[in-house]
């Protein structure tokens, strides 16, 4: 512990293939600050699978922070064990970092896909090179675009996240413009927006790495960022869009670009105060 999983994996079997995050440097993220990254021995993982699997389980999420960091043969062994124990298995998913995808060849991704690892949760956070540098994401817009195309070539679906508010007041425009540029060229299947939420334990590092005074944005400014983002998105393939994460002031759902007008209408109603926002006390990561 702690154990994190995407909201969409709440009803699925969760198996810890690794502990922690192999990168663990993003300035806004305190998720695995208490854990040292380690690949769990296969025997322990297999024992968990046999103990935790219930008959009829069809979807599995491999925790922790970036199980795609595992060598391909190690992942294949886990996927084979899952298939042996769960005859109805339809999908395996995990978190992936840009660095993980850089290290995998298309052929390796395709082999993993054949063994049902078919969905990667991928934190884009921002498409702006300036913001990516300030948050020490370990990737550029171009690098992200390249690995997302590689994932697509390997048959993977990508569920991407963007963090609204990550540029603060000063770099709000830069953050959204860069993110639009990336998402309009990179193939993602799902897109979620989160709202910047700094845990007490990560605040100091976040502000230090930002390198200059950082002014947090209020809900109104975040809604306006969301409005600019949705207005500017013309992705290369239709994207299933959600802002249902617990950090969001306003939950939205639709397809982009098809539902753009509907989503913008809801946002404008919220900006004008005609839609209530999620209270702060129930928000978090
Ligand atoms: S955001 Fe993801 S890649 Fe970055 S430190 Fe947190 S878990 Fe690791």
């Amino acid at each position: 512990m702690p154990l994190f999983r995407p909201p969409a994996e709440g009803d699925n079997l969760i198996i810890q293939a690794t502990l922690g995050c192999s990168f663990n440097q993003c300035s806004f993220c305190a998720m695995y600050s208490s854990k040292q990254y380690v690949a769990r021995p296969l025997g322990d993982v297999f024992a968990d699978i046999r103990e935790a699997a219930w008959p009829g389980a069809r979807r599995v999420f491999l925790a922790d922070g970036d199980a795609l960091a595992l060598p391909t043969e190690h992942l294949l062994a886990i996927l084979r064990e899952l298939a042996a124990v769960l005859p109805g298995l339809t999908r395996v998913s995990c978190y992936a970092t840009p660095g993980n995808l850089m290290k995998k060849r298309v052929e390796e991704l395709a082999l993993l896909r054949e063994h049902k690892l078919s969905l990667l949760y991928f934190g884009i956070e921002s498409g702006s090179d300036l913001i990516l540098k300030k948050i020490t994401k370990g990737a550029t817009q171009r690098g992200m675009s390249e690995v997302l195309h590689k994932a697509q070539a390997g048959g993977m679906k990508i569920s991407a996240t963007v963090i609204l508010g990550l540029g603060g007041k000063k770099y709000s425009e830069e953050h959204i413009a860069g993110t639009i540029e990336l998402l309009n060229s990179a193939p993602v299947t799902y897109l979620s927006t989160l709202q910047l939420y700094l845990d007490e334990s990560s605040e100091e590092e976040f502000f230090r790495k930002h390198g200059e005074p950082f002014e947090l944005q209020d809900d109104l400014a975040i809604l306006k960022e969301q409005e600019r983002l949705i207005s500017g998105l013309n992705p290369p393939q239709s994207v299933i869009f959600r802002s249902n994460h617990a950090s969001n002031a306003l939950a939205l759902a639709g397809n982009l670009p098809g539902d753009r007008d509907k989503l913008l209408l809801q946002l404008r109603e919220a900006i004008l105060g005609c839609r209530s926002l999620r209270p702060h006390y129930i928000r978090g990561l």
Side-chain angles (χ1 to χ4, degrees), residues 20-32 64-66 95-98 100 123 125 135-137 163:
C21 165
S22 71
F23 183 65
N24 216 14
Q25 291 180 47
C26 302
S27 66
F28 58 87
C29 174
M31 287 163 68
Y32 303 106
D64 272 342
D66 62 335
Y95 287 125
T97 68
N100 299 157
E125 332 302 5
I135 63 171
T136 52
K137 187 67 198 172
I163 303 180

Side-chain angles (χ1 to χ4, degrees), residues 56-82:
R58 294 167 60 240
R59 292 181 169 187
V60 177
F61 175 73
L62 296 179
D64 272 342
D66 62 335
L68 198 71
L70 289 169
T72 299
E73 275 308 320
H74 189 116
L75 272 170
L76 285 170
I78 295 172
L79 295 171
R80 289 190 187 107
E81 182 70 9
L82 285 170

Side-chain angles (χ1 to χ4, degrees), residues 140-281:
T140 59
Q141 184 196 99
R142 186 173 166 187
M144 293 244 201
S145 180
E146 283 174 7
V147 297
L148 290 172
H149 279 97
K150 188 201 274 190
Q152 184 190 43
M156 297 283 178
K157 285 186 177 171
I158 293 284
S159 179
T161 48
V162 164
I163 303 180
L164 299 172
L166 205 48
K169 281 189 185 165
K170 183 171 177 183
Y171 296 115
S172 175
E173 287 291 339
E174 162 91 31
H175 172 41
I176 298 303
T179 304
I180 289 170
E181 203 171 275
L182 174 58
L183 288 169
N184 283 351
S185 72
V188 306
T189 304
Y190 305 96
L191 173 67
S192 304
T193 51
L194 285 64
Q195 202 162 315
L196 180 63
Y197 170 88
L198 293 174
D199 186 89
E200 266 179 28
S201 63
S202 61
E203 264 184 5
E204 190 191 331
E205 183 184 354
F206 179 83
F207 293 132
R208 180 175 52 77
K209 286 186 170 173
H210 187 74
E212 56 186 301
F214 184 91
E215 281 188 88
L216 286 162
Q217 304 210 77
D218 60 15
D219 282 344
L220 185 60
I222 295 289
L223 291 173
K224 288 182 177 173
E225 276 198 358
Q226 182 81 284
E227 184 185 24
R228 290 204 302 283
L229 179 68
I230 290 176
S231 298
L233 284 182
N234 286 299
Q237 60 189 40
S238 180
V239 169
I240 299 167
F241 172 77
R242 297 281 182 273
S243 67
N244 57 353
H245 187 267
S247 62
N248 290 107
L250 180 70
L252 294 170
N255 292 336
L256 283 171
D259 294 325
R260 186 201 315 277
D261 291 346
K262 181 189 87 176
L263 295 168
L264 287 176
L265 182 64
Q266 291 173 19
L267 265 165
R268 283 166 192 156
E269 286 173 354
I271 288 168
L272 292 171
C274 307
R275 258 178 196 267
S276 51
L277 302 182
R278 181 182 280 152
H280 278 276
Y281 69 89

Side-chain angles (χ1 to χ4, degrees), residues 42-60:
L42 280 174
D44 293 358
V45 177
F46 291 175
D48 281 0
I49 291 171
R50 291 182 182 276
E51 186 182 345
W54 62 85
R58 294 167 60 240
R59 292 181 169 187
V60 177

